[in-house]
Amino acid sequence: MSISINPDKCTGCETCVTACPFAAIEMRDGKAYITEACTVCGACVDACEFQAIDRTEEAAKPAVDLSAYQGVWVFAEQHKGDIASVSLELLGEGRKLADKRKAKLSAVFIGSGIRDKAAELIAHGADIVYVADDPALKDFNDDSYAAVLTTLAKQHKPEIILAGATAIGRSFFPKVASTLYTGLTADCTMLDIDAATGHLHQTRPAFGGNIMATIVTPNHRPQMATVRHKVMKPAARNGSRTGDIIDVTFKQAGTVRTRVVKTVEELTETVNICEADIIVAGGRGLGSAKNFAMLEELAKVLGGAVAATRGAVDEGWIAYSHQVGQTGKTVCPKLYIAAGISGAIQHVAGMSSADVIVAINKDPDAPIFNVATYGIVGDVNEVIPAMIKKFREIRG
Amino acid sequence: MNIIVLVKQVPDTAEVKINRETNTLIRDGVPSIINPFDMYAIEEALRLREKHGGKVTAVTMGPPQAAEALKQAVAMGVDDAVLLSDRAFAGADTWATSYALAAGIRKIGTFDLVIAGKQAIDGDTAQVGPETADMLDIPFVAYIRKIEQVEGKKMVAERLMDEGYDVVETTLPALITVVKEINEPRLPSLKGKMKAKNLTVTAWNAKDINADDARIGLKGSPTQVVRIFPPAPRGNREMLSGSIDEQVGTVAKNLKGQSLI
Ligand SMILES: Cc1cc2nc3c(=O)[nH]c(=O)nc-3n(C[C@H](O)[C@H](O)[C@H](O)COP(=O)(O)OP(=O)(O)OC[C@H]3O[C@@H](n4cnc5c(N)ncnc54)[C@H](O)[C@@H]3O)c2cc1C
Ligand SMILES: Nc1ncnc2c1ncn2[C@@H]1O[C@H](COP(=O)(O)O)[C@@H](O)[C@H]1O
């Protein structure tokens, strides 16, 4: 594939220069010129009013026999035997994709002492569960997790493999994709399949959430993606579903290169903010650690989790593991209450896909109000206590 | 200790805005910066060198102007810089980028540690680190927030996870990616700035690093971007009015109406 400019049609209007998300078009001698930063995304083709830009699709030959790959797989993540909620969401989505392709849905379940939980994955939509249950797989390890999945994928040739965009999924999926020489799309928020070709259209935010990009892996298989929490819907649990549980043996290949010495849980509460339905987040506007503690109370009343801006983390009011945004976590709750947060783009990038956002800020021009569903202009020191009182009344 | 840092030049996404009329990104005057996570990678490499001796080499794959990012790294104290640049690298996805970086690193020769940022803020993929490690066949540990110990061919470090952190031991050479918590990057020194000014960055093309033509650039990339569009605008916003109690009451009523509380 390539992009070419027809100099006879190019009027030098520079529309394409601004349209290019990668700054890959320059003006040379009054005409547009495609530089090496071009990723052939085609944004300029759509933007040009003079049809002066062409995208030629050379029929690239598939690297592999695409038809040999069948079925949808989900990496089922677990922590001490508890299946991650995002994995159940992916089984829900995977079921739909598999049905569209009239194919099977499988789960790959890796850990130690987890075999009795495999039936739960079938109840949530899987037809087959591959279980690698071995004491050597107790802790997350990139090498061993990748070895299990890579071996299985080479054997059974799935068309699609999905994982949650969690710390674990985003750590070891790239290794699998690298070994299999295939495409991996990180942090997707939307998936769609072409029922005829099986091409997976993977949509994800880029440039700090300023744009969305749809990505395909046309000539390689399996097609791999990690998917954000809370954007897919889990299928309703059905205990009477049946399926096959297949044990796979794990063989340590070569020497062990990395090992977990210990695991420390650090969140002040048990709720992982990525999985929370309700989040109460605070920023520098809270003013002090003591005021920040009010948020914990509000979160408790609502049964939610506490998050923070980098500003609040830098003040030392809360641990970094609670930071939301570009250099923190991406969250997608049903309700996000933003208290004393200015709404800097780096923060908003991590929370703008919340269903409902309530913003509290004493500055009516704070940018957070641009993404808010409900905006309250006021002092957090008055608003938060009022909320605690009101919500407590409602929840009894 | 010989350390290689992977540095990417990115547009400062904080400055990138969408033109709502044309649905395109406004990039006029958007400055190019070193990917913020890579600043932590550079700083950590410098600290390790100060402690254990050795040499730090910064590597980037990008267009000729990416040399600017390397000069900035040298101004901070990096010893050497390598630019991988070739029109044939253009359009590389994470797989093809990692392939080129791994080939470049092999040409540099022996090393004990490769440090990359957790992710680049333009694409946010967080894949180039682990894919490069796989291609170099060295262990990979993500999200390092603290290096506790380096001794001989072993390193112990804290890896940030969703629910806390792990203490991980790994053999060296290895590739790690670092998160913001790990350090506070230093400013360039005067001496460093002088050095950067006079530096001619080593530039290698695809042939120099013995890259297979079929595995670099657009041709070597399994993924393709097929469409770019602005995110759906958020629904209506409502600025509330009245006393604090009234405003809180309105919010409470609405949230209850939507079964959110
Ligand atoms: C590369 C990079 C990455 C970054 N990554 C992140 C990230 O991941 N997450 C993140 O959050 N930030 C990130 N930032 C920082 C970001 O740019 C902002 O600086 C930060 O989000 C601001 O935090 P804040 O809203 O708490 O503080 P401020 O911007 O200081 O805002 C405080 C707000 O509180 C309001 N306020 C003050 N007092 C009161 C009161 N009594 N009642 C009500 N309102 C009050 C003020 O009007 C103001 O709007 C990043 C920055 C950079 C450069
Ligand atoms: N073109 C590149 N040149 C050098 N390093 C890169 C390049 N792309 C990515 N990296 C490194 O890989 C990390 C993760 O990038 P990404 O996978 O693009 O999110 C970055 O923080 C860099 O350290």
Side-chain angles (χ1 to χ4, degrees):
Chain A
M1 269 199 334
S2 64
I3 296 273
S4 58
I5 307 245
N6 181 340
D8 298 334
K9 287 189 184 167
C10 176
T11 63
C13 71
E14 300 193 15
T15 305
C16 56
V17 176
T18 34
C20 176
F22 302 96
I25 308 182
E26 287 170 10
M27 296 307 290
R28 291 199 185 167
D29 303 327
K31 306 276 178 191
Y33 175 84
I34 310 284
T35 73
E36 55 206 87
C38 177
T39 67
V40 201
C41 72
C44 56
V45 179
D46 300 335
C48 180
E49 293 162 35
F50 306 97
Q51 283 83 46
I53 311 180
D54 287 318
R55 172 149 89 165
T56 43
E57 320 246 351
E58 304 149 23
K61 41 183 182 326
V64 293
D65 172 13
L66 302 188
S67 64
Y69 290 77
Q70 277 173 24
V72 178
W73 283 16
V74 170
F75 164 66
E77 183 171 333
Q78 54 80 29
H79 295 260
K80 295 187 195 139
D82 293 336
I83 298 164
S85 57
V86 66
S87 301
L88 300 182
E89 292 158 21
L90 289 183
L91 285 174
E93 179 69 12
R95 187 70 263 167
K96 283 190 230 155
L97 297 173
D99 289 348
K100 274 198 196 152
R101 287 287 281 163
K102 300 190 172 50
K104 284 195 168 145
L105 174 67
S106 306
V108 178
F109 199 32
I110 305 175
S112 175
I114 54 166
R115 195 181 189 282
D116 58 333
K117 300 275 172 60
E120 204 47 35
L121 299 167
I122 292 174
H124 279 92
D127 300 310
I128 299 173
V129 184
Y130 295 102
V131 189
D133 189 333
D134 191 294
L137 296 169
K138 182 175 146 283
D139 297 312
F140 167 65
N141 178 306
D142 290 272
D143 283 344
S144 49
Y145 270 49
V148 171
L149 186 55
T150 307
T151 309
L152 281 171
K154 279 185 179 165
Q155 243 171 355
H156 302 281
K157 298 195 179 356
E159 185 168 44
I160 292 170
I161 316 181
L162 308 175
T166 59
I168 289 178
R170 292 189 72 176
S171 183
F172 90 99
F173 252 46
K175 183 171 172 64
V176 177
S178 166
T179 312
L180 297 176
Y181 192 1
T182 194
L184 168 59
T185 306
D187 216 17
C188 297
T189 54
M190 210 162 60
L191 296 175
D192 199 8
I193 199 163
D194 181 325
T197 61
H199 290 335
L200 188 64
H201 289 246
Q202 308 158 106
T203 299
R204 65 185 302 267
F207 289 101
N210 280 302
I211 52 168
M212 306 297 289
T214 302
I215 293 164
V216 296
T217 300
N219 300 315
H220 296 68
R221 291 291 182 271
Q223 307 169 85
M224 297 181 65
T226 62
V227 181
R228 277 192 190 170
H229 284 88
K230 306 252 165 220
V231 294
M232 306 299 175
K233 299 274 164 285
R237 185 181 187 284
N238 174 359
S240 60
R241 281 196 83 236
T242 53
D244 295 326
I245 297 177
I246 299 174
D247 289 302
V248 291
T249 44
F250 170 68
K251 276 196 297 291
Q252 184 71 53
T255 50
V256 181
R257 305 190 292 186
T258 61
R259 94 191 155 83
V260 173
V261 180
K262 71 171 174 187
T263 294
V264 181
E265 283 187 14
E266 221 184 17
L267 297 191
T268 52
E269 340 114 56
T270 48
V271 205
N272 173 354
I273 56 171
C274 299
E275 294 182 0
D277 282 330
I278 296 181
I279 290 179
V280 181
R284 214 172 261 141
L286 265 299
S288 69
K290 192 168 130 275
N291 283 351
F292 209 84
M294 285 192 307
L295 296 183
E296 308 250 347
E297 196 179 341
L298 180 58
K300 209 181 275 161
V301 172
L302 295 173
V306 179
T309 63
R310 172 158 160 185
V313 172
D314 286 347
E315 295 287 347
W317 297 337
I318 189 163
Y320 172 61
S321 41
H322 295 259
Q323 182 179 316
V324 166
Q326 194 171 73
T327 45
K329 289 177 180 168
T330 301
V331 296
C332 197
K334 297 201 174 91
L335 171 62
Y336 191 92
I337 301 181
I341 292 177
S342 59
I345 173 87
Q346 294 93 346
H347 183 75
V348 170
M351 49 69 83
S352 60
S353 39
D355 293 345
V356 172
I357 297 171
V358 178
I360 308 155
N361 198 302
K362 66 179 183 188
D363 172 9
D365 297 323
I368 190 72
F369 289 127
N370 296 333
V371 294
T373 323
Y374 303 107
I376 299 181
V377 178
D379 192 320
V380 287
N381 294 299
E382 294 171 42
V383 180
I384 301 294
M387 278 190 167
I388 293 172
K389 186 160 160 266
K390 185 80 198 169
F391 292 159
R392 198 171 265 152
E393 267 168 38
I394 292 177
R395 301 195 42 126
Chain B
M1 214 181 165
N2 288 329
I3 304 169
I4 290 168
V5 227
L6 300 182
V7 177
K8 186 179 188 189
Q9 190 179 47
V10 295
D12 187 348
T13 48
E15 308 280 330
V16 179
K17 304 236 156 46
I18 282 265
N19 178 336
R20 286 279 162 205
E21 266 157 40
T22 57
N23 281 338
T24 51
L25 287 179
I26 305 167
R27 297 189 51 138
D28 275 349
V30 173
S32 283
I33 54 170
I34 291 186
N35 177 39
F37 286 100
D38 303 353
M39 296 292 278
Y40 304 112
I42 296 171
E43 176 65 32
E44 201 58 24
L46 296 176
R47 289 186 190 192
L48 287 169
R49 181 191 66 193
E50 279 152 15
K51 210 162 151 191
H52 303 279
K55 185 176 162 187
V56 178
T57 308
V59 180
T60 193
M61 184 197 92
Q65 56 269 32
E68 222 24 69
L70 292 173
K71 289 194 168 190
Q72 238 177 298
V74 169
M76 284 173 74
V78 163
D79 302 290
D80 225 336
V82 176
L83 170 70
L84 306 176
S85 198
D86 195 315
R87 258 203 97 102
F89 293 145
D93 72 355
T94 62
W95 199 98
T97 301
S98 305
Y99 176 83
L101 289 172
I105 292 171
R106 263 187 233 112
K107 184 174 163 100
I108 290 171
T110 54
F111 59 89
D112 302 290
L113 186 63
V114 184
I115 312 183
K118 176 191 163 212
Q119 63 198 55
I121 61 167
D122 52 352
D124 284 328
T125 76
Q127 283 166 202
V128 169
E131 295 192 333
T132 304
D134 182 65
M135 292 177 196
L136 290 169
D137 195 17
I138 56 176
F140 168 70
V141 194
Y143 330 123
I144 297 299
R145 65 167 207 183
K146 187 179 173 193
I147 294 180
E148 287 187 350
Q149 199 188 56
V150 180
E151 222 183 80
K153 291 279 155 206
K154 239 183 212 154
M155 183 175 87
V156 180
E158 289 179 13
R159 165 174 72 188
L160 189 72
M161 299 299 280
D162 288 334
E163 261 132 14
Y165 67 94
D166 291 337
V167 179
V168 181
E169 185 185 276
T170 184
T171 56
L172 298 179
L175 189 151
I176 61 171
T177 60
V178 296
V179 296
K180 172 207 158 220
E181 246 190 342
I182 193 164
N183 58 42
E184 199 55 61
R186 69 193 63 189
L187 294 170
S189 69
L190 205 58
K191 196 170 133 233
K193 278 189 193 159
M194 291 299 292
K195 188 175 169 202
K197 215 170 131 195
N198 300 320
L199 178 87
T200 24
V201 169
T202 310
W204 290 337
N205 62 22
K207 216 188 231 115
D208 294 329
I209 57 171
N210 273 322
D212 173 352
D213 283 348
R215 300 195 161 213
I216 53 173
L218 197 65
K219 218 174 15 165
S221 298
T223 63
Q224 274 168 20
V225 180
V226 289
R227 189 170 161 238
I228 288 206
F229 58 101
R234 289 193 59 85
N236 286 343
R237 71 165 181 159
E238 194 180 332
M239 291 302 283
L240 306 176
S241 55
S243 71
I244 295 293
D245 280 339
E246 282 162 1
Q247 295 190 50
V248 167
T250 312
V251 166
K253 203 172 88 213
N254 279 300
L255 296 184
K256 195 160 164 31
Q258 298 166 60
S259 308
L260 286 167
I261 57 171

